[in-house]
Structure formats: C-alpha cells, structure tokens
Amino acid sequence: MSAHGRLLPLGLGDHDRLDTALGGGLPRGSIVLMEGDYGAGKSALSQRFSYGFCETDRTVTLLSTELTIGGFVDQMHSLSYDVVSHLLDERLLFLHADFDTGHTFSSERSDGERRELLTRLMEAETMWEPEVIILDTFDAILRNDPTFEALVRQNDERQAALEIISFFRELTSRGKTIVLTVDPSTVDEEAIGPFRSIADVFFQLQMIEVGNDVRRQISVKRFAGMGEQVGDTIGYSVRSGTGIVIENRNIA
C-alpha cells in the first residue's frame, strides 16, 4: 500500500491547509496523542478532525468530557463546520461523558460501587465501530476511573495503562485510528508516560506569547507513517466563523 493509501485525509482542502500541513492526513491504524494545556486548542482540533473525516466519508466517534450534544452542535456551527447532516446520517456518533451528574459513564452500580470507567468504555461496542475514535479529553477519563486512580496511588501507572493500551492496539490492528487528547497538567507524568511511548503520532499543542498576541502551534514530536514531509512546528489559529486556520508551515 502506498504512503497515501495508508493515510486518512483530513479533507477541507479548499477551506484550510491542515491536511497539507500534516502531510496528507493521519496514518490509518494509528494512535494519535495530542497534549496541551487548557485553551491550547485540543477540542478545536478534535472537532476539525471529526468534521474533516466525515466530509471524506469516514465514520467517526467523538467522545467529549466537556460538551453536551447541544453545546457540540453550537460549537461546530460557530466554527462553520456544518455537522448536523453527519449526525443525522450516523456518519458521526457524538457521545458526552458526564462525570458530574451521575449519567453516562459516571453512574454508580446498584451496590454503590463505582464501576471502572475504562472497563465500561471498552465494553461499549458501538462507540468503537467507526473508523476513527476521538476521546476528548482522555485525561478526564483516567482521573475519574477508580481502578486507574488506585494503581497510580500505588505507583503502578504502567500496569494501570497496560489493559487500555492493549485494547487500543487490538483496534489499530484492525485499521482503526484512535485520537486521544490530554491536558498534561492534570495527570502525573508517570501516568501519561506509557501513552506517550506507544503513540504513533504525538503532537504537543503550545501557546506562545508574542508581544500582546498569543499564538498557537502544533509541535510535532513523533509522526510514524507520515505522507509528505511534516514540519516540526505548525502555527495555527481558531477563528469564529472560519474554524482552524494554518498560519505557517515550517519544514525542518
């Protein structure tokens, strides 16, 4: 299979230059890790990915720990990503992981025990059926899983990560692409380390102050299976009414 045949195009070539900046798309059957602090653009890029994949006739699951379906549709509309038709056509499955109100993945069992969130996620077969699965934000799932939490307290983060990593690898062996977003300030370095190690594509999203301006950039730390050459840093912005805009492309 050619390099381009192994890639999932990000679409919207006439709208922005993200697909070109990332060398023609994300590798099929890969784990993509996007790290960034609050406000760095993790959700905006996740939304752009999900919309672009749908526009190229891929099926996508987007699990958000922050947005409800109403908030998601409003957010996508504000970015000029008309996602309603993809939701209605079931090309896009949107799920809200509500950890605060006792719904979705945070509900308690009848015996009062908290059920392991990661186990419940892995058992939710429907969400893993699409070609691309995006978990935004993955750190919130880790932090709210009692088993992962307990193992971290015992300094056994790698054991805590082993089961979910094995599950991800089984999915990628079937050609599925998994995108994880993480705010590294909310989890211990040791807890996120195993996921950094196994990621095929690793982006760090950064905000840099230049005078009175704050600029965002994607720092490409790893990109296994890239198509065209991808720069070490890709400047971008998030604009209302436009969405993601690539500001520059620096080739190493």
Side-chain angles (χ1 to χ4, degrees):
M1 185 182 292
S2 68
H4 285 287
R6 294 193 300 268
L7 297 175
L8 293 176
L10 294 165
L12 305 187
D14 57 348
H15 185 77
D16 61 34
R17 296 186 293 122
L18 183 62
D19 188 72
T20 301
L22 292 180
L26 297 180
R28 188 192 315 270
S30 64
I31 296 174
V32 180
L33 179 64
M34 289 198 297
E35 282 191 14
D37 293 335
Y38 180 80
K42 298 185 299 297
S43 292
L45 280 168
S46 296
Q47 292 154 11
R48 165 61 180 85
F49 286 166
S50 64
Y51 181 64
F53 286 136
C54 288
E55 288 286 290
T56 58
D57 294 325
R58 304 295 176 183
T59 54
V60 180
T61 292
L62 175 57
L63 173 69
S64 173
T65 62
E66 298 177 349
L67 295 174
T68 62
I69 181 62
F72 172 67
V73 171
D74 289 345
Q75 173 71 8
M76 295 296 270
H77 178 72
S78 74
L79 298 174
S80 293
Y81 299 151
D82 183 12
V83 76
V84 174
S85 61
H86 296 310
L87 290 166
L88 294 176
D89 292 342
E90 298 184 348
R91 188 171 291 113
L92 174 62
L93 172 63
F94 177 84
L95 299 171
H96 170 50
D98 186 348
F99 298 130
D100 298 321
T101 61
H103 300 140
T104 315
F105 298 108
S106 62
S107 57
E108 294 188 353
R109 299 172 62 180
S110 57
D111 58 7
E113 295 179 11
R114 288 172 65 195
R115 182 91 183 271
E116 293 87 345
L117 293 173
L118 292 170
T119 299
R120 296 188 68 190
L121 282 176
M122 289 187 283
E123 291 174 351
E125 295 181 6
T126 301
M127 72 171 285
W128 305 106
E129 289 175 0
E131 297 164 86
V132 181
I133 301 96
I134 302 173
L135 305 182
D136 179 39
T137 57
F138 185 57
D139 60 275
I141 297 168
L142 296 181
R143 287 183 284 108
N144 282 276
D145 182 278
T147 300
F148 192 92
E149 197 176 51
L151 285 168
V152 168
R153 284 200 301 269
Q154 297 167 23
N155 296 317
D156 201 357
E157 292 86 353
R158 291 194 175 277
Q159 179 60 38
L162 187 61
E163 183 180 3
I164 188 68
I165 287 174
S166 176
F167 176 73
F168 286 162
R169 276 301 179 210
E170 194 276 328
L171 290 170
T172 59
S173 72
R174 291 191 272 137
K176 297 183 184 294
T177 299
I178 300 170
V179 180
L180 310 172
T181 75
V182 171
D183 181 344
S185 69
T186 67
V187 287
D188 290 340
E189 190 82 9
E190 292 297 320
I192 199 60
F195 297 98
R196 287 179 180 151
S197 298
I198 57 94
D200 303 290
V201 178
F202 179 21
F203 299 142
Q204 286 184 334
L205 310 184
Q206 301 167 333
M207 294 181 291
I208 301 171
E209 292 188 16
V210 180
N212 295 324
D213 192 21
V214 177
R215 298 180 184 175
R216 290 184 172 92
Q217 70 177 30
I218 302 169
S219 180
V220 180
K221 298 299 183 182
R222 187 182 309 129
F223 204 129
M226 72 172 68
E228 302 297 328
Q229 178 65 40
V230 176
D232 288 341
T233 59
I234 302 166
Y236 75 101
S237 60
V238 183
R239 300 182 188 175
S240 178
T242 303
I244 297 292
V245 175
I246 298 300
E247 303 288 1
N248 66 344
R249 184 185 181 205
N250 299 325
I251 301 296

